[in-house]
């Protein structure tokens, strides 16, 4: 028989069975008491009850942890090691530790093993507090574990549904609790236990995509889509696999009533260069050779340097490469800047309502009637 | 041609309550159906908008971009043009029958 009863008559329940239920329903936190205080060299946890990974334990007398002086932050954590001694007369499965980091976001990841599965030995660590320290010792409590609130106890305060590139690892964290998707299928649903700002991150080991989600209301349901940067041009790389390369096979017929003359941009080693310093009415229209599928792209970014002040930099997503005027009305969407010398610009274009394939056109022009004696350098164009 | 934008840069072809901001329409909207135009955002320099997913498009620059599915907007436009053609044909037929 491959079924083991847990809370059934005459069956033996393990502590981990009980803890598993609590772990699924309650976040790590304080149940009662555990007042936190500090001196320059000691961090003290007062008596009280804590719940960590579904395991409940009592601090029966104040517990003090030594903190070394330094520069940055000290993190006090609780560690549950189910491989430690636990008999009628001794208990050695819960301890406190401390580690250090220069910045709040540079602590190493805590170990969070599955201590409630299969009654096996594993370690689970949870942050209790982060302390600010200097050469004299502790100066402040930066953040600390909170009381488990009734609202959090439902385990289903809100939900975040995430779609992400298959094969990636996805996590959701508020800095205190981190949930990891159970697989890398491309879709995950996270049950969020309480209101906070939660950061959803996907990584495949090379690329990373991240979004912050504000959870404020019980019952809130949020959908998040994560995509890695899809480069269309990257510092001299024309990203041929995606774009088919870049060329200037675009026709722009008029600037006002004056016909345009097309000039081929210079595809330099690290950038496209659009030199608008010569007199005349002309345009540069670097365009992707192939149509680019924008179905999974919400925003296109183009990163410019401007060595010499220019009139404008314009970005289009278009199903055609022939435009009646410099207005580019035939394009599905358009974004542009007027740009000044010496500045770096990142142009953002909303393409979230577009599905299917489009040419990407990075367009700039000069007319005799406007002061456009500029020079534009495009370093990167990518979609997210 | 004049259109109006709301505080999130969504376009409107009328301004009955006077709460929208009047702007010059881009060339792109010439001859377009109201439903097509109202599926777009026009963001003038100095304005910002926040997309449904929370992405903020800042004050720098000018943009014209659909916020409704572009394929749907093009379908609205196609139907609008078909109705105009049908109305013109009916009018011509009426005139010819006089």
């Amino acid at each position: 028989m491959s079924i083991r009863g847990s809370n059934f008559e005459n069956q033996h329940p393990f502590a981990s069975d009980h803890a598993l239920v609590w772990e699924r329903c309650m976040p790590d936190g304080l149940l009662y008491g555990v007042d936190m205080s500090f001196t320059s060299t000691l961090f003290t946890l007062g008596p009280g009850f804590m719940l960590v990974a579904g395991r409940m334990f009592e601090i029966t007398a104040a517990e003090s942890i030594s903190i070394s002086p330094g520069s940055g932050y000290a993190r006090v954590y609780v560690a549950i090691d189910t491989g430690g001694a636990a008999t009628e007369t001794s208990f050695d499965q819960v301890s406190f530790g401390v580690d250090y980091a220069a910045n709040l976001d540079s602590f190493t990841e805590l170990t969070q093993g599955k201590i409630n599965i299969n009654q096996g030995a594993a370690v689970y660590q949870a942050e209790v507090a982060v302390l600010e320290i200097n050469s004299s010792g502790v100066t402040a409590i930066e953040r600390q574990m909170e009381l488990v609130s009734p609202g959090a106890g439902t385990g289903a305060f809100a939900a975040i549904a995430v779609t992400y590139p298959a094969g990636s690892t996805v996590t959701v964290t508020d800095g205190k609790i981190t949930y990891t998707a159970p697989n890398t299928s491309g879709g995950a649903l996270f049950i969020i236990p309480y209101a906070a700002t939660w950061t959803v991150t996907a990584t495949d080991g090379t690329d990373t995509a991240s979004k912050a989600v504000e959870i404020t209301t019980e019952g809130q349901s949020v959908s998040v889509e994560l995509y890695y940067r899809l480069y269309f041009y990257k510092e001299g790389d024309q990203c041929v696999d995606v774009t088919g390369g870049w060329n200037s096979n675009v026709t722009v017929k008029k600037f006002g009533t004056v016909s345009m003359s097309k000039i081929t941009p210079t595809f330099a080693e690290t950038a496209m260069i659009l030199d608008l310093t010569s007199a005349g009415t002309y345009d540069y229209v670097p365009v992707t050779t192939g149509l680019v599928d924008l179905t999974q792209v919400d925003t296109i970014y183009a990163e410019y340097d401007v060595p010499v002040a220019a009139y404008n930099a314009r970005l289009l997503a278009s199903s055609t490469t022939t435009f009646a005027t410099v207005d580019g009305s035939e394009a599905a969407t358009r974004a542009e800047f007027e740009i000044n010398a010496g500045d770096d610009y990142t142009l953002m274009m909303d393409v979230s309502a577009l599905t299917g394939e489009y040419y990407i056109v990075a367009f700039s022009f000069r007319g005799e009637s406007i002061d456009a004696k500029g020079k534009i350098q495009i370093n990167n164009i990518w979609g997210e | 041609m004049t259109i109006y934008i709301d505080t999130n840069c969504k376009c409107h072809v009328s301004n009955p309550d006077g709460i929208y901001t009047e702007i010059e329409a881009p060339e792109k909207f010439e001859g377009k159906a109201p439903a097509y135009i109202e599926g777009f955002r026009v963001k003038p320099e100095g304005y910002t908008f926040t997309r449904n997913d929370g992405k903020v498009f800042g004050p720098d620059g000018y943009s014209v971009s659909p916020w409704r599915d572009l394929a749907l907007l093009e379908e609205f436009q196609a139907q609008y043009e078909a109705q105009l053609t049908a109305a013109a044909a009916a009018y011509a037929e009426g005139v010819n029958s006089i």
Side-chain angles (χ1 to χ4, degrees):
Chain A
M1 187 71 174
S2 56
I3 296 173
R4 176 182 66 82
S6 178
N7 53 353
F8 286 80
E9 296 301 328
N10 299 316
Q11 301 300 303
H12 177 67
F14 291 99
S16 57
D17 296 348
H18 180 263
L20 182 59
V21 176
W22 287 110
E23 184 182 23
R24 287 293 300 153
C25 299
M26 303 279 274
D28 297 339
L30 311 179
L31 293 172
Y32 177 79
V34 196
D35 295 333
M36 299 184 197
S37 59
F38 66 91
T39 66
S40 60
T41 58
L42 288 177
F43 177 69
T44 300
L45 297 162
F49 286 85
M50 296 177 71
L51 183 73
V52 174
R55 303 282 183 146
M56 183 167 58
F57 54 89
E58 181 182 10
I59 301 172
T60 55
E63 185 83 15
S64 290
I65 297 136
S66 293
I67 307 295
S68 301
S71 175
Y73 299 91
R75 176 176 61 183
V76 177
Y77 60 87
V78 59
I80 298 177
D81 180 356
T82 50
T87 69
E88 289 186 6
T89 56
S90 69
F91 178 65
D92 194 22
Q93 293 197 348
V94 177
S95 62
F96 292 96
V98 59
D99 59 3
Y100 299 88
N103 303 299
L104 282 172
D105 59 358
S106 58
F107 283 107
T108 55
E109 196 169 340
L110 292 170
T111 300
Q112 296 196 322
K114 296 183 185 304
I115 63 174
N116 297 321
I117 303 296
N118 298 331
Q119 302 94 49
V123 173
Y124 183 97
Q125 299 171 325
E127 179 183 297
V128 175
V130 172
L131 314 173
E132 191 175 24
I133 57 171
N134 63 21
S135 58
S136 300
V138 181
T139 58
I141 297 176
E142 176 68 24
R143 61 178 187 243
Q144 66 185 71
M145 186 176 268
E146 294 176 357
L147 199 65
V148 177
S149 67
T154 64
F157 184 81
I160 301 175
V162 187
T163 54
Y164 58 92
S168 303
T169 300
V170 176
T171 58
V172 174
T173 183
D174 71 335
K176 298 172 187 165
I177 302 174
T178 301
Y179 299 110
T180 303
N183 58 48
T184 60
S185 64
L189 179 66
F190 293 96
I191 303 302
I192 300 301
Y194 51 84
T197 299
W198 294 84
T199 301
V200 188
T201 303
T203 181
D204 64 359
T206 303
D207 294 313
T208 299
S210 190
K211 280 186 182 175
V213 178
E214 290 283 347
I215 295 295
T216 57
T217 310
E218 188 163 8
Q220 187 177 352
S221 179
V222 179
S223 294
V224 173
E225 295 183 9
L226 294 176
Y227 305 112
Y228 300 133
R229 279 188 179 185
L230 178 64
Y231 276 95
F232 307 123
Y233 183 84
K234 188 176 184 183
E235 297 181 338
D237 179 352
Q238 297 191 22
C239 303
V240 173
D241 288 351
V242 178
T243 63
W246 287 76
N247 64 72
S248 53
N249 295 334
V250 169
T251 301
V252 181
K253 294 178 178 172
K254 297 283 187 183
F255 175 73
T257 57
V258 181
S259 295
M260 303 295 289
S261 300
K262 182 171 63 186
I263 298 180
T264 303
T266 302
F267 291 100
E269 189 174 342
T270 59
M272 296 184 204
I273 297 170
L274 285 54
D275 188 345
L276 298 152
T277 53
S278 300
T281 298
Y282 54 85
D283 57 44
Y284 283 97
V285 279
V287 59
T288 55
T289 300
L291 289 159
V292 176
D293 189 349
L294 297 181
T295 305
Q296 300 296 317
V297 177
D298 288 334
T299 310
I300 295 179
Y301 300 80
E303 188 178 85
Y304 295 83
D305 282 341
V306 189
V308 183
Y311 176 62
N312 76 352
R314 190 168 290 184
L315 198 62
L316 311 173
S318 177
S319 53
T320 179
T321 56
T322 298
F323 302 100
T325 74
V326 294
D327 198 60
S329 295
E330 297 83 352
T333 181
R334 156 190 165 197
E336 68 185 68
F337 279 145
E338 291 188 21
I339 50 185
N340 300 308
D343 288 342
D344 298 336
Y345 289 85
T346 300
L347 190 56
M348 290 169 62
M349 182 166 69
D350 180 12
V351 294
S352 59
L354 275 57
T355 54
E357 296 183 323
Y358 294 85
Y359 296 102
I360 298 170
V361 186
F363 174 35
S364 196
F365 62 92
R366 163 174 183 158
E368 281 291 16
S369 60
I370 55 174
D371 183 16
K373 298 172 184 175
K375 192 172 181 181
I376 296 170
Q377 180 173 308
I378 306 173
N379 301 324
N380 293 293
I381 304 174
W382 72 92
E384 290 182 1
Chain B
M1 179 183 175
T2 295
I3 59 167
Y4 307 90
I5 56 170
D6 61 25
T7 54
N8 211 22
C9 294
K10 288 182 177 176
C11 295
H12 302 269
V13 296
S14 62
N15 189 17
D17 299 322
I19 58 174
Y20 302 142
T21 302
E22 181 178 322
I23 62 167
E24 183 66 22
E27 277 182 26
K28 180 179 185 62
F29 290 169
E30 292 293 337
K32 292 296 192 290
Y36 180 92
I37 294 169
E38 292 189 341
F40 273 77
R41 282 192 174 96
V42 173
K43 190 194 82 64
E45 173 82 24
Y47 288 70
T48 65
F49 71 82
T50 303
R51 205 166 54 193
N52 280 355
D53 61 1
K55 185 71 145 183
V56 176
F57 290 72
D60 288 341
Y62 172 90
S63 67
V64 181
S65 55
W67 62 268
R68 294 191 75 173
D69 176 39
L70 184 63
L72 179 66
L73 299 180
E74 288 172 344
E75 176 61 26
F76 288 160
Q77 180 62 23
Q79 291 185 19
Y80 173 75
E81 290 174 8
Q83 288 170 18
L84 289 182
T85 302
Y91 176 76
E93 191 176 325
V95 168
N96 292 339
S97 67
I98 292 174

